[in-house]
Amino acid sequence: MKPNRLSTWLGCLAAALFCCANLPAAESALDLDPNMKLKPENTDGLKYLIPAEKPLRLSGFCWYDTDHVYRRLPLRPDGKLSRGVETLAWNTAGGQVAFRSDTGRIVLKVRMRSNSVMYHMAQTGTAGFDLYAGAPGKQRFFGVTRFPAGAKEYTARLFQGERRMRDFTINFPLYAGVDQVFIGVDADAKVEAPPAWEDARPIVIYGTSITQGGCASRPGMAYTSQLSRRLNRPVINLGFSGNGRGEPEVAAEIAKIENPACFILDYEANIHQAKRMRDTLTPFIGILRKSHPDVPILILTKIRYAYEGRDLERGNDLPRPKSVQAIQSEERSAFEKLSREDADLHFLSGDDLLGADFDECSVDGVHPTDLGFYRMAEKLEPVIRELLKR
């Protein structure tokens, strides 16, 4: 390059760098929208409650009274759990704490055991708590914790309103571990036990990421949480994301749950081979039956994925993929064989749980949005009510 051209080029480069250096830093909606800004929460004048202490009612953690940790399986299981199940058991999906109070504020102080940011799921769902208020059957969403992405500790307000007695239910995060949580209420607030469950016997649901709640926008929208509100019963969420594989070691721990109302087996989505379903389903049911010979068990096949309906000529009426048909054939076969001697074994196809436009009900083609979970709960509620009548 000739000297005069070089000097011209260097001059242009210097001018460009000067201009770039003086450009304002890029701003985001979090900076520009006052409704999205996080502000320090005022905690003056609050007293703090612990979820496991009376008169509060903690549910969703069947081994809490023994282990005193927010964990969905025991700390010391009899058999060796897979690494995936062992890790995911610390995720607090399905945990709830309920109470009555005339507080005008609810503020949570939270220390997380884990909090991983996921590419396809809101932090309010993975690591947030949400709040419902109202009498059983009339509960309405009131608030969700707001905090910086990936935060391991945070203080966040869930409720602010007029002082009068209300029934409150707080749902735990779906995809994070919780080390400690303190519930701040007005220092002079009355705190009482919540209304009784319609039936305290738990509905136990074993499954996959869809059961665990991926990808609900907040914990109360997971289909297990919706069922708990609709039925006014405890629902134990034993969904293990990517790791609902029907292992006998997991079945043995589930069988220890005392006085269950029913079991729902929703783990097909993590079984990718027909042989695997053939090898696991009958033994899994057998382990449950040894401890609970008369409790209803529902075998639930998986929901439709979005790609299963993308035929623009024919619409959303395509048959399930052959691999899915083979796995579901094994489920149906096991059911038909076992039900000849087991009148409390039931079967439900998940084909229609999301409705005809099922391709509109997911985040990524697989995991439901809040709309998808709402439709699942809507379809499952009458089925479960019928089972519980038995």
Side-chain angles (χ1 to χ4, degrees):
M1 184 178 292
K2 293 182 179 181
N4 60 337
R5 291 184 178 178
L6 177 60
S7 60
T8 301
W9 181 82
L10 290 174
C12 292
L13 176 61
L17 291 173
F18 176 80
C19 291
C20 291
N22 286 277
L23 286 174
E27 293 181 291
S28 71
L30 294 177
D31 304 307
L32 299 171
D33 186 342
N35 294 317
M36 292 188 180
K37 287 187 177 180
L38 295 176
K39 301 174 183 177
E41 187 55 49
N42 177 19
T43 58
D44 294 340
L46 297 179
K47 63 181 176 182
Y48 287 91
L49 313 174
I50 297 174
E53 292 188 354
K54 304 291 186 184
L56 281 65
R57 181 184 68 206
L58 180 68
S59 60
F61 307 107
C62 295
W63 289 268
Y64 186 90
D65 289 344
T66 301
D67 297 332
H68 307 293
V69 291
Y70 301 119
R71 178 177 159 90
R72 295 182 293 153
L73 288 175
L75 275 174
R76 299 171 185 82
D78 288 340
K80 183 175 177 56
L81 303 178
S82 71
R83 181 175 63 87
V85 171
E86 172 62 36
T87 300
L88 293 165
W90 288 102
N91 292 174
T92 55
Q96 289 184 355
V97 58
F99 59 98
R100 296 195 79 210
S101 178
D102 63 351
T103 185
R105 284 187 296 165
I106 297 178
V107 174
L108 297 192
K109 283 190 174 183
V110 182
R111 186 169 75 193
M112 311 300 294
R113 189 177 191 275
S114 63
N115 180 8
S116 299
V117 177
M118 297 170 68
Y119 73 89
H120 62 340
M121 187 170 174
Q123 277 271 281
T124 46
T126 58
F129 293 75
D130 70 2
L131 173 75
Y132 280 75
K138 298 180 180 179
Q139 292 178 306
R140 302 297 297 271
F141 168 67
F142 262 66
V144 65
T145 51
R146 298 166 58 182
F147 50 91
K152 292 297 178 66
E153 293 189 21
Y154 64 80
T155 299
R157 185 178 68 216
L158 270 180
F159 172 77
Q160 185 165 352
E162 63 175 315
R163 295 284 302 269
R164 60 183 177 84
M165 289 299 289
R166 292 182 175 90
D167 301 316
F168 293 108
T169 298
I170 298 172
N171 295 297
F172 277 65
L174 297 169
Y175 269 83
V178 175
D179 187 12
Q180 291 184 334
V181 56
F182 300 98
I183 303 169
V185 298
D186 290 327
D188 60 346
K190 298 177 183 177
V191 179
E192 301 175 357
W197 298 111
E198 181 175 323
D199 189 326
R201 294 176 300 157
I203 296 165
V204 182
I205 307 182
Y206 169 68
T208 66
S209 56
I210 295 169
T211 306
Q212 186 168 339
C215 289
S217 65
R218 50 185 177 76
M221 292 308 295
Y223 84 84
T224 57
S225 301
Q226 294 192 52
L227 287 171
S228 180
R229 290 195 299 277
R230 288 166 176 263
L231 299 168
N232 188 26
R233 292 171 178 260
V235 175
I236 307 301
N237 185 323
L238 294 177
F240 299 101
S241 190
N243 286 269
R245 297 171 181 164
E247 302 100 326
E249 296 83 1
V250 177
E253 300 306 323
I254 295 175
K256 295 176 185 176
I257 295 174
E258 296 181 3
N259 201 23
C262 71
F263 295 105
I264 299 174
L265 307 183
D266 181 22
Y267 74 94
E268 180 202 321
N270 285 166
I271 300 295
H272 305 299
Q273 296 179 339
K275 182 179 184 303
R276 179 67 179 169
M277 181 60 75
R278 182 167 62 250
D279 292 344
T280 61
L281 183 56
T282 296
F284 200 101
I285 293 170
I287 292 170
L288 297 181
R289 277 287 174 251
K290 286 181 181 179
S291 299
H292 306 285
D294 302 317
V295 172
I297 297 176
L298 176 66
I299 302 168
L300 177 63
T301 70
K302 78 174 185 67
I303 58 174
R304 283 184 176 268
Y305 294 164
Y307 72 84
E308 296 177 15
R310 292 179 181 154
D311 186 322
L312 299 182
E313 299 296 328
R314 298 178 54 194
N316 291 333
D317 61 349
L318 296 179
R320 305 301 288 264
K322 290 184 179 179
S323 59
V324 174
Q325 291 185 46
I327 294 171
Q328 294 187 350
S329 176
E330 293 294 343
E331 289 178 276
R332 174 71 73 173
S333 177
F335 164 70
E336 290 177 350
K337 182 177 180 180
L338 294 172
S339 62
R340 293 170 192 157
E341 298 181 358
D342 188 343
D344 291 307
L345 187 63
H346 308 273
F347 187 94
L348 179 67
S349 170
D351 282 18
D352 299 322
L353 287 183
L354 299 181
D357 55 346
F358 57 87
D359 49 314
E360 294 283 13
C361 294
S362 72
V363 169
D364 53 3
V366 173
H367 298 94
T369 59
D370 293 351
L371 171 63
F373 282 128
Y374 178 85
R375 290 183 176 179
M376 290 180 71
E378 188 92 340
K379 293 286 183 68
L380 287 170
E381 179 188 356
V383 175
I384 296 173
R385 285 191 183 279
E386 188 61 32
L387 287 182
L388 298 176
K389 288 180 182 179
R390 298 171 182 269

